[in-house]
Amino acid sequence: MFFGLIFLAATAATSIPAAPEPTADALQSDLQTAFSCKDIDGRKVWKGGLAYYIQSFIYDDETSDDAANMATDAVLPADNSRETMQEFEQACLTMAPTASTDN
């Protein structure tokens, strides 16, 4: 009986499905409303509701002058280490939008 309870608890704990990854459309929409954060290693960073975003690497023959066509990468907690996520949290900590208190 005792063994059966342990097995049942272990099975229940491992059968919980992980949260689904956001779709590309959802991430694109999220990026449109994301707010700017401090740069990381010279790359622009934004924070959205679903993910952090970072400007893709720019190679020698490319330019980043066209902000509308700037390539970005989504940074999701499930795909990155805790240390990486802390770096993004710190970059966005002091840049978070604040609610207006004007009456």
Side-chain angles (χ1 to χ4, degrees), residues 25-83:
D25 287 340
L27 290 171
Q28 181 63 41
S29 179
D30 186 46
L31 177 58
Q32 299 298 321
T33 59
F35 65 86
S36 295
C37 301
K38 292 182 182 177
D39 291 0
I40 295 177
D41 296 331
R43 296 163 66 194
K44 297 183 183 312
V45 174
W46 300 266
K47 182 177 194 242
L50 299 175
Y52 291 94
Y53 302 90
I54 190 164
Q55 178 183 13
S56 297
F57 281 111
I58 299 172
Y59 299 98
D60 294 335
D61 59 343
E62 298 175 341
T63 63
S64 64
D65 295 337
D66 187 1
N69 292 323
M70 184 183 307
T72 58
D73 299 305
V75 180
L76 299 167
D79 298 336
N80 292 280
S81 69
R82 181 69 195 141
E83 293 79 21

Side-chain angles (χ1 to χ4, degrees), residues 87-101:
E87 186 175 6
F88 279 86
E89 290 167 6
Q90 285 296 77
C92 296
L93 187 62
T94 59
M95 304 295 285
T98 57
S100 174
T101 58

